[in-house]
Amino acid sequence: MFGLFKTKNPFEILEKQRKDFLNIQLPEQIRSSFKQPIANKDIMFDQLSLLVLDFETTGGEPSQDHIISMGWVEVHQKQIDLALKKHFYLNNSEQITHQTAVVNQIVPEMLEQGSSLDKAMTSLFSHCQNRVLVVHGKVIEKGFIDYYMQQKYGVSELPLLWIDTMKIEVWLANKLGGNTLSQDNRLTAVRKRYQLPQYNAHNALVDSLATAELLLAQIARIYRNKPVTLETLYKISQ
């Protein structure tokens, strides 16, 4: 009887979603990213391959705002590989306003020769293969990716595995009995608490690097030299 109320394993759910996803008619560049099974939940963090991602957008609502730049770095076995970094400006120059230019420091001239959203997304999906995605505040990146797929292909949500460094920081504050309502969990503020160097914010590539460094610092603080599995990391980042 009690088995009916057993919580489903999120890794099993994602695995089934990926299998179902392969039955949808999509470009091969996208389908190929999901042919491999998701990472084993018992794999150790220091053996993971991560894709640390950041979007700069004109706002937080995917249905009315736009991505203007995307950037990512890869992390392999706890080492940030800058040789595999990627940065796109998207040709959305008509979407730039005075307000977005002030926040993102991106002006129309920087986007006029930029890539199309389709090209940038295709590149992103190709790099997702065999990677766990890492972001700081996944509501933006996940929201815009899901909206793109819904509008372009009628797919409501991609079966991707996300680690959220902002959620990890909230989990840690709760664990330590802190005031999570007043705590500033923006990327720059969190990095300052870890005494990480301050970078110029609101550049997608720089912010992806900053997030990668933050994740490594969080793991070092929480677990010291103790081993940690992907499943454990995933649970504290939701």
Side-chain angles (χ1 to χ4, degrees):
M1 175 179 176
F2 293 105
L4 294 174
F5 300 98
K6 183 179 179 180
T7 302
K8 291 185 177 179
N9 187 311
F11 288 80
E12 293 177 358
I13 294 172
L14 274 173
E15 197 63 72
K16 182 182 185 305
Q17 289 174 340
R18 288 170 83 93
K19 290 178 180 178
D20 294 340
F21 185 81
L22 293 176
N23 295 322
I24 302 172
Q25 294 298 316
L26 293 168
E28 184 58 28
Q29 301 98 311
I30 297 178
R31 292 183 76 256
S32 63
S33 302
F34 298 91
K35 288 182 177 179
Q36 298 295 322
I38 63 171
N40 189 304
K41 65 183 178 65
D42 296 320
I43 189 172
M44 293 299 170
F45 174 71
D46 59 7
Q47 297 300 312
L48 278 175
S49 291
L50 309 170
L51 189 74
V52 189
L53 174 67
D54 185 78
F55 290 175
E56 293 300 316
T57 67
T58 58
E61 179 49 61
S63 64
Q64 62 187 37
D65 294 308
H66 302 269
I67 304 170
I68 51 180
S69 71
M70 299 167 53
W72 59 80
V73 297
E74 296 189 23
V75 178
H76 302 282
Q77 299 182 358
K78 296 173 66 175
Q79 299 295 318
I80 300 172
D81 191 344
L82 291 179
L84 300 176
K85 66 182 183 297
K86 200 75 175 178
H87 187 227
F88 289 94
Y89 285 119
L90 303 185
N91 54 6
N92 279 328
S93 57
E94 69 277 5
Q95 308 302 332
I96 296 296
T97 65
H98 174 72
Q99 288 79 8
T100 61
V102 169
V103 172
N104 297 305
Q105 299 179 15
I106 295 175
V107 296
E109 292 76 14
M110 299 168 70
L111 305 184
E112 288 173 353
Q113 303 302 316
S115 301
S116 68
L117 179 58
D118 289 342
K119 179 180 178 180
M121 283 292 187
T122 298
S123 180
L124 172 61
F125 294 140
S126 69
H127 283 81
C128 283
Q129 189 166 349
N130 298 321
R131 305 283 184 271
V132 176
L133 291 180
V134 179
V135 291
H136 189 77
K138 74 176 182 180
V139 64
I140 294 294
E141 285 77 15
K142 184 179 185 301
F144 276 87
I145 290 173
D146 288 345
Y147 184 77
Y148 169 81
M149 290 300 297
Q150 177 63 50
Q151 296 300 301
K152 186 78 176 180
Y153 302 110
V155 178
S156 59
E157 187 173 3
L158 288 180
L160 294 169
L161 194 59
W162 296 86
I163 300 297
D164 189 337
T165 53
M166 181 181 287
K167 291 289 188 179
I168 291 175
E169 199 63 16
V170 172
W171 175 89
L172 182 58
N174 281 320
K175 189 80 171 176
L176 298 175
N179 187 342
T180 59
L181 295 178
S182 63
Q183 178 173 284
D184 188 347
N185 288 318
R186 289 173 296 178
L187 181 58
T188 299
V190 177
R191 283 177 59 86
K192 187 175 182 179
R193 289 201 289 272
Y194 285 81
Q195 298 183 326
L196 293 169
Q198 296 301 300
Y199 298 145
N200 291 328
H202 301 299
N203 175 286
L205 180 58
V206 172
D207 282 354
S208 66
L209 172 61
T211 301
E213 292 177 344
L214 173 59
L215 177 64
L216 296 177
Q218 288 175 320
I219 296 301
R221 179 181 182 184
I222 297 169
Y223 297 103
R224 307 290 179 175
N225 295 320
K226 297 177 182 178
V228 54
T229 64
L230 171 60
E231 182 178 29
T232 298
L233 180 60
Y234 179 80
K235 284 180 178 179
I236 70 172
S237 72
Q238 302 308 302

